[in-house]
Amino acid sequence: MAGLRKVGVVGLGAMGAGIAQLCVEAGLETVGREVSDELGGRAKERIAHFLTRKVEKGTLEQAERDAAVERLSLTTDLAALAGCDVVIEAIVEELEPKRALFAELERICRADAVLASNTSALSVTEIAAATSSPERVVGMHFFNPAPLMPLVEIVRAELTGDGPFETALELAVLLGKTPVRCHDTPGFVVNRVLIPLLNDCIRVLDEARVKPEDLDAAMRNGAGWPMGPCELADLVGIDVHVHASEALYAKLREPRMAPPPRLVAMRNAGLLGRKSGRGFYTYDDAAQRR
Ligand code: CAA
């Protein structure tokens, strides 16, 4: 698509807010949609915080930061996405709410607008099938934290058209990312490998009777990981990881995909990692819980 100008982001949780931050930093007019003003306001505050940190660290000019924050408009009304060139969905990882949203977006958005899902473990094809124009539905899977992780998987669903696929690729490049092309298979590329690997790591905790901090040190120092598996599970969210594991297990039926009981118990107890203040580690500092 010539001249991407305006992008919508639906769902401004940790991933959606990170994606919206990338969009405003890239100079795109960005419409962020949340279900309440309060949640939208919280996301804008999060984005403003991280951009302010960049100013404090000398990697962004104050005027650029202010202009970027200005480029984000908030709404609770999906109709405000009507003029967007691309809409990126980052709502709850449940198939039916996503399908309902895409059916609604199809009615609201311009016929040439690209509709992208940030789903990490659901089928983009099944989401696209809720619309009568599946050729414009594509996966754009960002990694957590979205502003820092270079990769975006550009996922071709069964009926994705070449034009929308290339537009999603073009947008990822505009956002400063390193996109890879792949087809719509369970877990795409990274999660197909990373989810069973993290599950193995958690099982090793019990089997080798090793402490989380020692397992993390082992994987950082012995395998070159930037952060250990327990730190990573806390960052991603224990609930998010368990949910993604369950979704992949349901599709692939490989035992390694199934979430380890220890993680399920943590999820059930509300030990969700950074966002709840407690997971494998404790996060007392409000900044660590962002
Ligand atoms: N959003 C925006 N900005 C952020 C941020 C966030 N969530 N988190 C941190 N920042 C900013 C902060 O301002 C921070 O600086 P200050 O702390 O001084 O304010 C700055 O970025 C640098 O942060 P760090 O010092 O923490 O950066 P780092 O060099 O330690 O790297 C990291 C952090 C990139 C997360 C690195 O540890 C890493 O690569 N970890 C592995 C992450 C990973 O594997 N992610 C994939 C998860 S799997 C997934 O996402 C798939 C899925 O579908 C669930």
Side-chain angles (χ1 to χ4, degrees):
M1 184 183 286
L4 286 171
R5 201 182 52 81
K6 188 170 177 181
V7 171
V9 181
V10 185
L12 298 175
M15 291 307 291
I19 294 166
Q21 179 184 327
L22 289 163
C23 293
V24 293
E25 283 192 87
L28 294 162
E29 194 185 332
T30 305
V31 186
R33 191 266 188 171
E34 252 304 348
V35 290
S36 71
D37 291 335
E38 195 211 332
L39 287 177
R42 229 185 273 172
K44 190 156 187 172
E45 188 269 331
R46 177 190 175 96
I47 293 168
H49 163 83
F50 284 121
L51 293 178
T52 300
R53 286 293 298 144
K54 283 191 158 185
V55 174
E56 287 165 353
K57 294 198 284 187
T59 55
L60 189 69
E61 294 292 330
Q62 180 70 43
E64 286 171 348
R65 176 238 175 248
D66 295 345
V69 174
E70 274 296 299
R71 279 193 281 273
L72 176 65
S73 59
L74 295 174
T75 184
T76 55
D77 185 2
L78 281 178
L81 302 167
C84 291
D85 301 315
V86 179
V87 176
I88 304 173
E89 166 275 314
I91 67 167
V92 61
E93 273 289 278
E94 301 282 353
L95 186 59
E96 283 317 315
K98 286 192 195 283
R99 283 171 52 87
L101 174 65
F102 275 73
E104 190 70 15
L105 288 174
E106 177 182 41
R107 276 193 289 280
I108 288 168
C109 297
R110 286 197 328 256
D112 66 340
V114 173
L115 308 179
S117 175
N118 178 51
T119 185
S120 54
L122 299 175
S123 159
V124 183
T125 304
E126 287 177 44
I127 296 170
T131 72
S132 58
S133 50
E135 65 282 354
R136 61 165 154 155
V137 178
V138 60
M140 283 188 81
H141 181 214
F142 292 77
F143 289 78
N144 192 345
L148 305 187
M149 297 299 286
L151 180 67
V152 182
E153 291 170 334
I154 308 296
V155 183
R156 187 186 279 279
E158 281 307 306
L159 299 176
T160 303
D162 289 343
F165 190 76
E166 290 306 318
T167 298
L169 202 76
E170 189 189 319
L171 175 58
V173 171
L174 196 67
L175 301 183
K177 297 298 178 190
T178 305
V180 297
R181 300 170 170 86
C182 60
H183 278 259
D184 183 27
T185 53
F188 315 133
V189 178
V190 172
N191 276 347
R192 176 71 177 78
V193 175
L194 189 59
I195 284 182
L197 192 54
L198 276 183
N199 286 341
D200 281 348
C201 288
I202 303 307
R203 290 185 185 104
V204 164
L205 273 182
D206 297 323
E207 289 165 13
R209 280 171 277 171
V210 59
K211 291 190 212 146
E213 47 271 43
D214 288 339
L215 176 64
D216 283 346
M219 294 308 287
R220 279 197 312 270
N221 297 316
W225 286 24
M227 56 173 33
C230 299
E231 294 171 304
L232 184 56
D234 275 2
L235 171 75
V236 167
I238 305 297
D239 53 337
V240 170
H241 178 80
V242 166
H243 196 65
S245 294
E246 284 167 342
L248 287 195
Y249 182 62
K251 297 262 184 214
L252 297 167
R253 291 281 152 201
E254 290 177 21
R256 290 177 66 233
M257 298 291 176
R262 180 175 179 145
L263 284 185
V264 176
M266 287 174 73
R267 190 267 317 266
N268 293 345
L271 304 180
L272 307 182
R274 288 193 191 204
K275 63 183 160 192
S276 71
R278 223 175 123 198
F280 286 103
Y281 299 99
T282 301
Y283 305 89
D284 293 325
D285 183 350
Q288 294 174 318
R289 295 192 207 169
R290 281 181 191 277

